[in-house]
């Protein structure tokens, strides 16, 4: 049974954080529209690996938005571009998804 606090947090995720008039933006994930927020604060050193120029993206969505949840090393299509899932963290109510691809 879910607690009232947890239920309120889940409502806030959808109604505030992922709201398109607040922070949310729609992306097409493997052909399906979902609401996400992009984290633009990625350290510069995280974008280079052994001399290879890597582009990194971090996306946040509701844990209910994607089923099944993505897994590390899965290739996904986001807005018509291929990305590799580097990592997925699952704090309560969210998925924090780190993606990468080579630039150029």
């Amino acid at each position: 049974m879910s607690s009232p606090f947890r239920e309120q947090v889940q409502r806030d995720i959808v109604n505030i954080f992922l709201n398109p008039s607040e922070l949310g933006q729609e992306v097409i994930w493997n052909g399906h529209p979902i609401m996400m927020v992009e984290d633009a604060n990625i350290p510069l050193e995280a974008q280079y690996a052994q001399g290879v120029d890597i582009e990194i993206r971090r996306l946040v969505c509701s844990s209910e938005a994607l089923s099944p949840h993505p897994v590390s090393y899965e290739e996904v299509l986001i807005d018509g571009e291929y990305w590799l899932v580097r990592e997925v963290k699952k704090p309560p109510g969210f998925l924090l998804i780190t993606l990468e691809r080579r630039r150029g």
Side-chain angles (χ1 to χ4, degrees):
M1 179 183 228
S2 184
S3 73
F5 176 74
R6 186 173 286 224
E7 291 171 5
Q8 182 61 48
V9 168
Q10 187 64 34
R11 282 191 300 273
D12 287 348
I13 289 169
V14 174
N15 295 331
I16 298 170
F17 189 69
L18 295 173
N19 184 327
S21 61
E22 298 292 336
L23 299 172
Q25 63 184 27
E26 185 178 85
V27 299
I28 306 300
W29 180 285
N30 287 337
H32 303 284
I34 61 169
M35 197 58 62
M36 295 191 142
V37 174
E38 186 153 4
D39 177 3
N41 298 315
I42 300 171
L44 187 58
E45 63 271 9
Q47 299 191 39
Y48 296 92
Q50 300 176 6
V52 178
D53 193 7
I54 301 289
E55 186 175 358
I56 305 288
R57 263 179 108 174
R58 288 191 185 138
L59 301 176
V60 182
C61 68
S62 166
S63 60
E64 298 174 355
L66 294 171
S67 182
H69 292 168
V71 296
S72 294
Y73 305 109
E74 176 183 355
E75 188 175 67
V76 296
L77 186 64
I78 301 172
D79 291 335
E81 298 178 340
Y82 286 99
W83 291 83
L84 186 67
V85 176
R86 177 190 275 187
E87 178 182 46
V88 179
K89 293 183 180 177
K90 300 176 183 181
F94 287 101
L95 294 177
L96 305 174
I97 306 165
T98 304
L99 304 150
E100 68 178 39
R101 68 177 178 182
R102 285 188 183 195
R103 287 187 208 249

